[in-house]
Amino acid sequence: MAIAELSDRAADTSARLLPVLAERWSPRAFDPTASVDEEKLTAALEAARWSPSAGNTQPWRFIVARRGGAAFAAIEQNLVGFNAAWAGSASVLIVALAEVIDSDGNARRWATYDLGQAIAHLSIQAHHDGLHVHQMGGFVVEGLRSAFDIDDRFLPVSITALGTLGDPDALPEVLRARELAPRTRTALDDLVVVNG
């Protein structure tokens, strides 16, 4: 399958969605030679900044690392499983941190939810601007804490790979099969547990 064919993987939805939502997907094949336009990266981060949060606490922080830099290498060294096989081809890796304890020592139980909204906004803006995003949970939390001296108030929740589409043939076979497989989701009726 050509890269051009991969760029059109719109979801078969049960209701009409905004095109940017239906067309968003999470590739693993990134172009290892491409760099990201700084304006588009800033726009994605700005979209995250303006996402909603409980009490407008904005409990998110980001470590933004461009391929070729020391920060990128430190993040890449802490990836585990299949993530280590493909994520290094992304132009940017972003560690998403949730401020789970505020500066007064109070727990923020909603912080990870709010961070998720911020990353969702980031991913939609990035897709709108022609970039792709893939979020990962497979990484060594304590390794990142050590590499970036992350305070205990902040929890590394996810890593986001951001860049432009690459050649799926460059992926290991098992990942290539996932990359090219039809997109599926659980039926909406199975997700809505009460609809009264």
Side-chain angles (χ1 to χ4, degrees):
M1 182 176 286
I3 294 173
E5 292 176 80
L6 282 177
S7 64
D8 183 18
R9 291 180 45 98
D12 182 15
T13 61
S14 59
R16 191 171 56 187
L17 300 182
L18 295 171
V20 71
L21 294 172
E23 294 166 3
R24 186 221 56 81
W25 66 289
S26 302
R28 292 174 187 84
F30 286 94
D31 182 344
T33 65
S35 59
V36 169
D37 180 295
E38 288 295 320
E39 286 185 26
K40 291 179 179 182
L41 177 58
T42 299
L45 292 164
E46 184 71 357
R49 183 172 84 97
W50 282 98
S51 66
S53 62
N56 197 29
T57 53
Q58 304 167 53
W60 46 72
R61 301 293 184 277
F62 305 104
I63 297 169
V64 181
R66 290 153 188 85
R67 189 180 54 245
F72 190 99
I75 296 168
E76 192 175 12
Q77 289 170 359
N78 284 286
L79 295 173
V80 298
F82 284 126
N83 295 334
W86 63 266
S89 292
S91 300
V92 177
L93 293 176
I94 302 170
V95 178
L97 307 170
E99 185 184 30
V100 293
I101 300 171
D102 69 18
S103 57
D104 296 324
N106 301 309
R108 286 193 164 155
R109 69 178 183 85
W110 60 87
T112 54
Y113 174 83
D114 289 345
L115 174 63
Q117 289 202 85
I119 292 296
H121 281 68
L122 179 150
S123 70
I124 295 302
Q125 181 66 44
H127 187 80
H128 175 269
D129 288 341
L131 300 172
H132 284 80
V133 168
H134 189 112
Q135 299 169 47
M136 300 169 274
F139 59 91
V140 181
V141 171
E142 292 309 314
L144 289 178
R145 279 195 187 284
S146 176
F148 295 102
D149 197 25
I150 299 170
D151 188 277
D152 287 342
R153 294 189 310 114
F154 295 95
L155 176 65
V157 175
S158 66
I159 297 175
T160 300
L162 185 145
T164 57
L165 281 178
D167 184 354
D169 288 336
L171 295 170
E173 178 56 39
V174 65
L175 296 180
R176 185 178 322 114
R178 287 186 193 176
E179 194 85 345
L180 303 176
R183 295 179 63 200
T184 61
R185 286 292 188 271
T186 301
L188 188 58
D189 288 342
D190 294 335
L191 298 175
V192 180
V193 294
V194 175
N195 193 8

